[in-house]
Amino acid sequence: SSGINAESQSQLETQQVTLETERQKCARHEVNLKLSEGQCEERIREVRTELEMKKQDIARYKTELAVSVKREEALRSESDQDVRLMKFRCEKAERKAYSSQEDLVKDLTSSRDVVMFL
């Protein structure tokens, strides 16, 4: 009976050592998980910060793009106005030149008639 008892005692001690070893492993694993969790939380904060910065960049780019589009539209409008103004001036110059030519023809015809009458 004492041999069985000693054997049982030995097995119990072995199991207790094994249990304690497993507890220590679990404790280390728990610490590692907490460290990992902390690292993950830190990375999440970093990513959120980066995301917020990217959102701000996008908003700034959108604003810059809208300003550029308005500037381009204004330049096109000015260009269109310049083209219309130039066309108007050319047409006015053509009318003036045509009118001057008509006046010249009238004056020449009138002078010819005067010379022929004399």
Side-chain angles (χ1 to χ4, degrees):
S1 163
S2 98
I4 294 176
N5 204 8
E7 188 178 321
S8 294
Q9 185 65 30
S10 175
Q11 288 176 350
L12 180 61
E13 288 173 6
T14 302
Q15 287 178 347
Q16 284 176 339
V17 169
T18 302
L19 179 62
E20 186 57 33
T21 302
E22 288 302 313
R23 279 187 191 152
Q24 289 173 3
K25 284 182 186 177
C26 285
R28 282 194 300 271
H29 185 65
E30 185 178 357
V31 167
N32 287 337
L33 285 176
K34 285 184 179 182
L35 287 173
S36 236
E37 180 182 17
Q39 291 170 345
C40 288
E41 288 172 353
E42 177 61 27
R43 183 63 186 136
I44 288 171
R45 280 191 295 278
E46 290 172 2
V47 169
R48 283 185 177 150
T49 301
E50 289 173 17
L51 178 62
E52 188 57 37
M53 289 171 53
K54 298 294 181 194
K55 285 180 179 179
Q56 291 172 1
D57 288 346
I58 289 170
R60 188 178 71 249
Y61 295 150
K62 283 181 179 180
T63 301
E64 290 173 2
L65 183 58
V67 168
S68 294
V69 166
K70 285 182 181 177
R71 189 178 316 124
E72 179 69 24
E73 288 172 349
L75 288 173
R76 279 193 191 141
S77 177
E78 287 177 18
S79 176
D80 290 347
Q81 290 173 356
D82 289 345
V83 167
R84 286 193 296 273
L85 181 59
M86 188 58 69
K87 188 176 178 182
F88 171 77
R89 288 179 180 168
C90 287
E91 289 170 353
K92 185 177 178 183
E94 283 178 15
R95 284 191 301 274
K96 186 176 180 180
Y98 184 73
S99 178
S100 294
Q101 288 174 358
E102 284 182 340
D103 289 346
L104 180 61
V105 169
K106 285 179 188 175
D107 288 345
L108 287 174
T109 303
S110 179
S111 294
R112 182 195 68 192
D113 290 346
V114 168
V115 168
M116 291 187 82
F117 185 70
L118 293 174

PDB file of all heavy atoms in Angstrom, residues 32-59:
ATOM      1  N   ASN A  32       2.024  38.014 -23.575  1.00  0.00           N
ATOM      2  CA  ASN A  32       2.308  38.236 -25.000  1.00  0.00           C
ATOM      3  C   ASN A  32       1.068  38.727 -25.740  1.00  0.00           C
ATOM      4  O   ASN A  32       1.151  39.614 -26.602  1.00  0.00           O
ATOM      5  CB  ASN A  32       2.845  36.954 -25.656  1.00  0.00           C
ATOM      6  CG  ASN A  32       4.261  36.654 -25.224  1.00  0.00           C
ATOM      7  OD1 ASN A  32       4.998  37.540 -24.801  1.00  0.00           O
ATOM      8  ND2 ASN A  32       4.658  35.381 -25.308  1.00  0.00           N
ATOM      9  N   LEU A  33      -0.085  38.133 -25.411  1.00  0.00           N
ATOM     10  CA  LEU A  33      -1.329  38.577 -26.044  1.00  0.00           C
ATOM     11  C   LEU A  33      -1.639  40.030 -25.694  1.00  0.00           C
ATOM     12  O   LEU A  33      -2.062  40.810 -26.550  1.00  0.00           O
ATOM     13  CB  LEU A  33      -2.503  37.680 -25.632  1.00  0.00           C
ATOM     14  CG  LEU A  33      -2.555  36.300 -26.276  1.00  0.00           C
ATOM     15  CD1 LEU A  33      -3.714  35.483 -25.686  1.00  0.00           C
ATOM     16  CD2 LEU A  33      -2.707  36.406 -27.787  1.00  0.00           C
ATOM     17  N   LYS A  34      -1.423  40.403 -24.420  1.00  0.00           N
ATOM     18  CA  LYS A  34      -1.679  41.785 -24.007  1.00  0.00           C
ATOM     19  C   LYS A  34      -0.726  42.738 -24.721  1.00  0.00           C
ATOM     20  O   LYS A  34      -1.126  43.813 -25.148  1.00  0.00           O
ATOM     21  CB  LYS A  34      -1.568  41.926 -22.497  1.00  0.00           C
ATOM     22  CG  LYS A  34      -2.764  41.338 -21.775  1.00  0.00           C
ATOM     23  CD  LYS A  34      -2.714  41.554 -20.287  1.00  0.00           C
ATOM     24  CE  LYS A  34      -3.958  40.951 -19.659  1.00  0.00           C
ATOM     25  NZ  LYS A  34      -4.021  41.145 -18.229  1.00  0.00           N
ATOM     26  N   LEU A  35       0.541  42.331 -24.848  1.00  0.00           N
ATOM     27  CA  LEU A  35       1.493  43.157 -25.597  1.00  0.00           C
ATOM     28  C   LEU A  35       1.055  43.285 -27.051  1.00  0.00           C
ATOM     29  O   LEU A  35       1.076  44.360 -27.633  1.00  0.00           O
ATOM     30  CB  LEU A  35       2.905  42.555 -25.527  1.00  0.00           C
ATOM     31  CG  LEU A  35       3.628  42.682 -24.196  1.00  0.00           C
ATOM     32  CD1 LEU A  35       4.945  41.895 -24.222  1.00  0.00           C
ATOM     33  CD2 LEU A  35       3.905  44.150 -23.873  1.00  0.00           C
ATOM     34  N   SER A  36       0.662  42.161 -27.606  1.00  0.00           N
ATOM     35  CA  SER A  36       0.197  42.145 -28.989  1.00  0.00           C
ATOM     36  C   SER A  36      -1.038  43.026 -29.146  1.00  0.00           C
ATOM     37  O   SER A  36      -1.162  43.780 -30.107  1.00  0.00           O
ATOM     38  CB  SER A  36      -0.164  40.717 -29.387  1.00  0.00           C
ATOM     39  OG  SER A  36       0.534  40.324 -30.501  1.00  0.00           O
ATOM     40  N   GLU A  37      -1.948  42.933 -28.200  1.00  0.00           N
ATOM     41  CA  GLU A  37      -3.166  43.736 -28.231  1.00  0.00           C
ATOM     42  C   GLU A  37      -2.810  45.221 -28.173  1.00  0.00           C
ATOM     43  O   GLU A  37      -3.343  46.031 -28.922  1.00  0.00           O
ATOM     44  CB  GLU A  37      -4.076  43.357 -27.052  1.00  0.00           C
ATOM     45  CG  GLU A  37      -5.367  44.139 -27.013  1.00  0.00           C
ATOM     46  CD  GLU A  37      -6.226  43.771 -25.810  1.00  0.00           C
ATOM     47  OE1 GLU A  37      -5.702  43.155 -24.852  1.00  0.00           O
ATOM     48  OE2 GLU A  37      -7.402  44.111 -25.824  1.00  0.00           O
ATOM     49  N   GLY A  38      -1.862  45.553 -27.301  1.00  0.00           N
ATOM     50  CA  GLY A  38      -1.409  46.946 -27.197  1.00  0.00           C
ATOM     51  C   GLY A  38      -0.789  47.425 -28.497  1.00  0.00           C
ATOM     52  O   GLY A  38      -1.040  48.549 -28.940  1.00  0.00           O
ATOM     53  N   GLN A  39       0.016  46.563 -29.114  1.00  0.00           N
ATOM     54  CA  GLN A  39       0.633  46.917 -30.391  1.00  0.00           C
ATOM     55  C   GLN A  39      -0.436  47.098 -31.467  1.00  0.00           C
ATOM     56  O   GLN A  39      -0.358  48.017 -32.285  1.00  0.00           O
ATOM     57  CB  GLN A  39       1.638  45.846 -30.804  1.00  0.00           C
ATOM     58  CG  GLN A  39       2.868  45.813 -29.931  1.00  0.00           C
ATOM     59  CD  GLN A  39       3.744  44.595 -30.203  1.00  0.00           C
ATOM     60  OE1 GLN A  39       3.320  43.632 -30.833  1.00  0.00           O
ATOM     61  NE2 GLN A  39       4.978  44.639 -29.701  1.00  0.00           N
ATOM     62  N   CYS A  40      -1.418  46.222 -31.458  1.00  0.00           N
ATOM     63  CA  CYS A  40      -2.512  46.321 -32.434  1.00  0.00           C
ATOM     64  C   CYS A  40      -3.299  47.612 -32.234  1.00  0.00           C
ATOM     65  O   CYS A  40      -3.625  48.316 -33.203  1.00  0.00           O
ATOM     66  CB  CYS A  40      -3.447  45.116 -32.338  1.00  0.00           C
ATOM     67  SG  CYS A  40      -2.733  43.594 -32.976  1.00  0.00           S
ATOM     68  N   GLU A  41      -3.576  47.942 -30.973  1.00  0.00           N
ATOM     69  CA  GLU A  41      -4.307  49.168 -30.689  1.00  0.00           C
ATOM     70  C   GLU A  41      -3.507  50.388 -31.131  1.00  0.00           C
ATOM     71  O   GLU A  41      -4.059  51.331 -31.693  1.00  0.00           O
ATOM     72  CB  GLU A  41      -4.657  49.251 -29.200  1.00  0.00           C
ATOM     73  CG  GLU A  41      -5.755  48.278 -28.791  1.00  0.00           C
ATOM     74  CD  GLU A  41      -5.977  48.214 -27.280  1.00  0.00           C
ATOM     75  OE1 GLU A  41      -5.191  48.827 -26.527  1.00  0.00           O
ATOM     76  OE2 GLU A  41      -6.936  47.540 -26.878  1.00  0.00           O
ATOM     77  N   GLU A  42      -2.208  50.346 -30.902  1.00  0.00           N
ATOM     78  CA  GLU A  42      -1.340  51.456 -31.331  1.00  0.00           C
ATOM     79  C   GLU A  42      -1.358  51.568 -32.859  1.00  0.00           C
ATOM     80  O   GLU A  42      -1.459  52.651 -33.405  1.00  0.00           O
ATOM     81  CB  GLU A  42       0.095  51.243 -30.828  1.00  0.00           C
ATOM     82  CG  GLU A  42       1.072  52.298 -31.275  1.00  0.00           C
ATOM     83  CD  GLU A  42       0.731  53.701 -30.799  1.00  0.00           C
ATOM     84  OE1 GLU A  42       0.077  53.854 -29.745  1.00  0.00           O
ATOM     85  OE2 GLU A  42       1.107  54.665 -31.495  1.00  0.00           O
ATOM     86  N   ARG A  43      -1.274  50.437 -33.531  1.00  0.00           N
ATOM     87  CA  ARG A  43      -1.292  50.441 -35.007  1.00  0.00           C
ATOM     88  C   ARG A  43      -2.635  50.965 -35.509  1.00  0.00           C
ATOM     89  O   ARG A  43      -2.677  51.712 -36.490  1.00  0.00           O
ATOM     90  CB  ARG A  43      -1.026  49.027 -35.543  1.00  0.00           C
ATOM     91  CG  ARG A  43      -0.953  48.957 -37.032  1.00  0.00           C
ATOM     92  CD  ARG A  43       0.209  49.771 -37.598  1.00  0.00           C
ATOM     93  NE  ARG A  43       0.133  49.773 -39.050  1.00  0.00           N
ATOM     94  CZ  ARG A  43       0.314  50.828 -39.798  1.00  0.00           C
ATOM     95  NH1 ARG A  43       0.637  51.989 -39.261  1.00  0.00           N
ATOM     96  NH2 ARG A  43       0.200  50.753 -41.104  1.00  0.00           N
ATOM     97  N   ILE A  44      -3.715  50.586 -34.842  1.00  0.00           N
ATOM     98  CA  ILE A  44      -5.042  51.083 -35.226  1.00  0.00           C
ATOM     99  C   ILE A  44      -5.078  52.602 -35.083  1.00  0.00           C
ATOM    100  O   ILE A  44      -5.576  53.305 -35.962  1.00  0.00           O
ATOM    101  CB  ILE A  44      -6.155  50.411 -34.381  1.00  0.00           C
ATOM    102  CG1 ILE A  44      -6.327  48.962 -34.819  1.00  0.00           C
ATOM    103  CG2 ILE A  44      -7.469  51.168 -34.492  1.00  0.00           C
ATOM    104  CD1 ILE A  44      -7.233  48.136 -33.914  1.00  0.00           C
ATOM    105  N   ARG A  45      -4.521  53.128 -33.984  1.00  0.00           N
ATOM    106  CA  ARG A  45      -4.477  54.589 -33.802  1.00  0.00           C
ATOM    107  C   ARG A  45      -3.658  55.246 -34.914  1.00  0.00           C
ATOM    108  O   ARG A  45      -4.043  56.271 -35.455  1.00  0.00           O
ATOM    109  CB  ARG A  45      -3.892  54.937 -32.423  1.00  0.00           C
ATOM    110  CG  ARG A  45      -4.883  54.809 -31.285  1.00  0.00           C
ATOM    111  CD  ARG A  45      -4.345  55.418 -29.983  1.00  0.00           C
ATOM    112  NE  ARG A  45      -3.185  54.722 -29.458  1.00  0.00           N
ATOM    113  CZ  ARG A  45      -3.231  53.607 -28.718  1.00  0.00           C
ATOM    114  NH1 ARG A  45      -4.399  53.072 -28.408  1.00  0.00           N
ATOM    115  NH2 ARG A  45      -2.133  53.037 -28.281  1.00  0.00           N
ATOM    116  N   GLU A  46      -2.529  54.638 -35.259  1.00  0.00           N
ATOM    117  CA  GLU A  46      -1.683  55.175 -36.332  1.00  0.00           C
ATOM    118  C   GLU A  46      -2.433  55.187 -37.662  1.00  0.00           C
ATOM    119  O   GLU A  46      -2.398  56.180 -38.390  1.00  0.00           O
ATOM    120  CB  GLU A  46      -0.409  54.344 -36.476  1.00  0.00           C
ATOM    121  CG  GLU A  46       0.569  54.496 -35.344  1.00  0.00           C
ATOM    122  CD  GLU A  46       1.719  53.500 -35.431  1.00  0.00           C
ATOM    123  OE1 GLU A  46       1.783  52.707 -36.403  1.00  0.00           O
ATOM    124  OE2 GLU A  46       2.569  53.506 -34.514  1.00  0.00           O
ATOM    125  N   VAL A  47      -3.101  54.082 -37.960  1.00  0.00           N
ATOM    126  CA  VAL A  47      -3.837  53.977 -39.222  1.00  0.00           C
ATOM    127  C   VAL A  47      -4.978  54.990 -39.258  1.00  0.00           C
ATOM    128  O   VAL A  47      -5.227  55.634 -40.280  1.00  0.00           O
ATOM    129  CB  VAL A  47      -4.351  52.539 -39.453  1.00  0.00           C
ATOM    130  CG1 VAL A  47      -5.337  52.476 -40.595  1.00  0.00           C
ATOM    131  CG2 VAL A  47      -3.182  51.595 -39.699  1.00  0.00           C
ATOM    132  N   ARG A  48      -5.672  55.161 -38.118  1.00  0.00           N
ATOM    133  CA  ARG A  48      -6.755  56.149 -38.058  1.00  0.00           C
ATOM    134  C   ARG A  48      -6.212  57.560 -38.277  1.00  0.00           C
ATOM    135  O   ARG A  48      -6.820  58.369 -38.976  1.00  0.00           O
ATOM    136  CB  ARG A  48      -7.492  56.053 -36.724  1.00  0.00           C
ATOM    137  CG  ARG A  48      -8.426  54.878 -36.670  1.00  0.00           C
ATOM    138  CD  ARG A  48      -9.244  54.867 -35.401  1.00  0.00           C
ATOM    139  NE  ARG A  48     -10.181  53.735 -35.437  1.00  0.00           N
ATOM    140  CZ  ARG A  48     -10.605  53.093 -34.380  1.00  0.00           C
ATOM    141  NH1 ARG A  48     -10.201  53.460 -33.175  1.00  0.00           N
ATOM    142  NH2 ARG A  48     -11.454  52.088 -34.507  1.00  0.00           N
ATOM    143  N   THR A  49      -5.067  57.853 -37.684  1.00  0.00           N
ATOM    144  CA  THR A  49      -4.435  59.163 -37.873  1.00  0.00           C
ATOM    145  C   THR A  49      -4.065  59.359 -39.345  1.00  0.00           C
ATOM    146  O   THR A  49      -4.330  60.420 -39.921  1.00  0.00           O
ATOM    147  CB  THR A  49      -3.182  59.296 -36.979  1.00  0.00           C
ATOM    148  OG1 THR A  49      -3.576  59.140 -35.617  1.00  0.00           O
ATOM    149  CG2 THR A  49      -2.503  60.633 -37.167  1.00  0.00           C
ATOM    150  N   GLU A  50      -3.453  58.327 -39.927  1.00  0.00           N
ATOM    151  CA  GLU A  50      -3.097  58.391 -41.352  1.00  0.00           C
ATOM    152  C   GLU A  50      -4.344  58.584 -42.204  1.00  0.00           C
ATOM    153  O   GLU A  50      -4.343  59.377 -43.154  1.00  0.00           O
ATOM    154  CB  GLU A  50      -2.367  57.117 -41.778  1.00  0.00           C
ATOM    155  CG  GLU A  50      -0.972  56.987 -41.219  1.00  0.00           C
ATOM    156  CD  GLU A  50      -0.342  55.630 -41.527  1.00  0.00           C
ATOM    157  OE1 GLU A  50      -0.838  54.917 -42.431  1.00  0.00           O
ATOM    158  OE2 GLU A  50       0.641  55.287 -40.857  1.00  0.00           O
ATOM    159  N   LEU A  51      -5.409  57.872 -41.873  1.00  0.00           N
ATOM    160  CA  LEU A  51      -6.660  57.981 -42.623  1.00  0.00           C
ATOM    161  C   LEU A  51      -7.211  59.399 -42.539  1.00  0.00           C
ATOM    162  O   LEU A  51      -7.621  59.968 -43.548  1.00  0.00           O
ATOM    163  CB  LEU A  51      -7.688  56.975 -42.087  1.00  0.00           C
ATOM    164  CG  LEU A  51      -9.065  57.002 -42.739  1.00  0.00           C
ATOM    165  CD1 LEU A  51      -8.978  56.672 -44.218  1.00  0.00           C
ATOM    166  CD2 LEU A  51     -10.001  56.029 -42.027  1.00  0.00           C
ATOM    167  N   GLU A  52      -7.185  59.980 -41.352  1.00  0.00           N
ATOM    168  CA  GLU A  52      -7.679  61.350 -41.172  1.00  0.00           C
ATOM    169  C   GLU A  52      -6.834  62.329 -41.992  1.00  0.00           C
ATOM    170  O   GLU A  52      -7.366  63.231 -42.624  1.00  0.00           O
ATOM    171  CB  GLU A  52      -7.672  61.736 -39.684  1.00  0.00           C
ATOM    172  CG  GLU A  52      -8.343  63.041 -39.404  1.00  0.00           C
ATOM    173  CD  GLU A  52      -9.787  63.111 -39.868  1.00  0.00           C
ATOM    174  OE1 GLU A  52     -10.514  62.104 -39.777  1.00  0.00           O
ATOM    175  OE2 GLU A  52     -10.190  64.191 -40.349  1.00  0.00           O
ATOM    176  N   MET A  53      -5.528  62.111 -42.000  1.00  0.00           N
ATOM    177  CA  MET A  53      -4.650  62.971 -42.798  1.00  0.00           C
ATOM    178  C   MET A  53      -4.956  62.823 -44.280  1.00  0.00           C
ATOM    179  O   MET A  53      -4.999  63.812 -45.011  1.00  0.00           O
ATOM    180  CB  MET A  53      -3.180  62.638 -42.503  1.00  0.00           C
ATOM    181  CG  MET A  53      -2.747  63.081 -41.121  1.00  0.00           C
ATOM    182  SD  MET A  53      -1.102  62.490 -40.605  1.00  0.00           S
ATOM    183  CE  MET A  53      -0.061  62.984 -41.947  1.00  0.00           C
ATOM    184  N   LYS A  54      -5.202  61.590 -44.715  1.00  0.00           N
ATOM    185  CA  LYS A  54      -5.539  61.353 -46.128  1.00  0.00           C
ATOM    186  C   LYS A  54      -6.865  62.018 -46.483  1.00  0.00           C
ATOM    187  O   LYS A  54      -7.007  62.605 -47.548  1.00  0.00           O
ATOM    188  CB  LYS A  54      -5.613  59.851 -46.435  1.00  0.00           C
ATOM    189  CG  LYS A  54      -4.335  59.097 -46.224  1.00  0.00           C
ATOM    190  CD  LYS A  54      -3.258  59.507 -47.179  1.00  0.00           C
ATOM    191  CE  LYS A  54      -2.011  58.686 -46.924  1.00  0.00           C
ATOM    192  NZ  LYS A  54      -0.844  59.216 -47.565  1.00  0.00           N
ATOM    193  N   LYS A  55      -7.835  61.949 -45.573  1.00  0.00           N
ATOM    194  CA  LYS A  55      -9.123  62.611 -45.807  1.00  0.00           C
ATOM    195  C   LYS A  55      -8.926  64.123 -45.947  1.00  0.00           C
ATOM    196  O   LYS A  55      -9.531  64.749 -46.810  1.00  0.00           O
ATOM    197  CB  LYS A  55     -10.100  62.313 -44.666  1.00  0.00           C
ATOM    198  CG  LYS A  55     -10.680  60.924 -44.704  1.00  0.00           C
ATOM    199  CD  LYS A  55     -11.632  60.705 -43.530  1.00  0.00           C
ATOM    200  CE  LYS A  55     -12.255  59.319 -43.547  1.00  0.00           C
ATOM    201  NZ  LYS A  55     -13.162  59.124 -42.392  1.00  0.00           N
ATOM    202  N   GLN A  56      -8.069  64.682 -45.082  1.00  0.00           N
ATOM    203  CA  GLN A  56      -7.788  66.121 -45.168  1.00  0.00           C
ATOM    204  C   GLN A  56      -7.090  66.457 -46.482  1.00  0.00           C
ATOM    205  O   GLN A  56      -7.403  67.471 -47.116  1.00  0.00           O
ATOM    206  CB  GLN A  56      -6.942  66.575 -43.976  1.00  0.00           C
ATOM    207  CG  GLN A  56      -7.686  66.538 -42.665  1.00  0.00           C
ATOM    208  CD  GLN A  56      -6.782  66.798 -41.468  1.00  0.00           C
ATOM    209  OE1 GLN A  56      -5.578  67.033 -41.607  1.00  0.00           O
ATOM    210  NE2 GLN A  56      -7.362  66.751 -40.268  1.00  0.00           N
ATOM    211  N   ASP A  57      -6.150  65.601 -46.889  1.00  0.00           N
ATOM    212  CA  ASP A  57      -5.473  65.808 -48.175  1.00  0.00           C
ATOM    213  C   ASP A  57      -6.478  65.785 -49.316  1.00  0.00           C
ATOM    214  O   ASP A  57      -6.446  66.636 -50.212  1.00  0.00           O
ATOM    215  CB  ASP A  57      -4.404  64.725 -48.418  1.00  0.00           C
ATOM    216  CG  ASP A  57      -3.184  64.881 -47.525  1.00  0.00           C
ATOM    217  OD1 ASP A  57      -3.026  65.960 -46.917  1.00  0.00           O
ATOM    218  OD2 ASP A  57      -2.401  63.908 -47.433  1.00  0.00           O
ATOM    219  N   ILE A  58      -7.371  64.803 -49.290  1.00  0.00           N
ATOM    220  CA  ILE A  58      -8.379  64.679 -50.346  1.00  0.00           C
ATOM    221  C   ILE A  58      -9.273  65.913 -50.373  1.00  0.00           C
ATOM    222  O   ILE A  58      -9.561  66.460 -51.444  1.00  0.00           O
ATOM    223  CB  ILE A  58      -9.205  63.388 -50.163  1.00  0.00           C
ATOM    224  CG1 ILE A  58      -8.339  62.170 -50.493  1.00  0.00           C
ATOM    225  CG2 ILE A  58     -10.464  63.413 -51.023  1.00  0.00           C
ATOM    226  CD1 ILE A  58      -8.963  60.835 -50.127  1.00  0.00           C
ATOM    227  N   ALA A  59      -9.683  66.379 -49.200  1.00  0.00           N
ATOM    228  CA  ALA A  59     -10.521  67.584 -49.138  1.00  0.00           C
ATOM    229  C   ALA A  59      -9.764  68.777 -49.715  1.00  0.00           C
ATOM    230  O   ALA A  59     -10.336  69.575 -50.476  1.00  0.00           O
ATOM    231  CB  ALA A  59     -10.956  67.848 -47.698  1.00  0.00           C
TER     232      ALA A  59
END
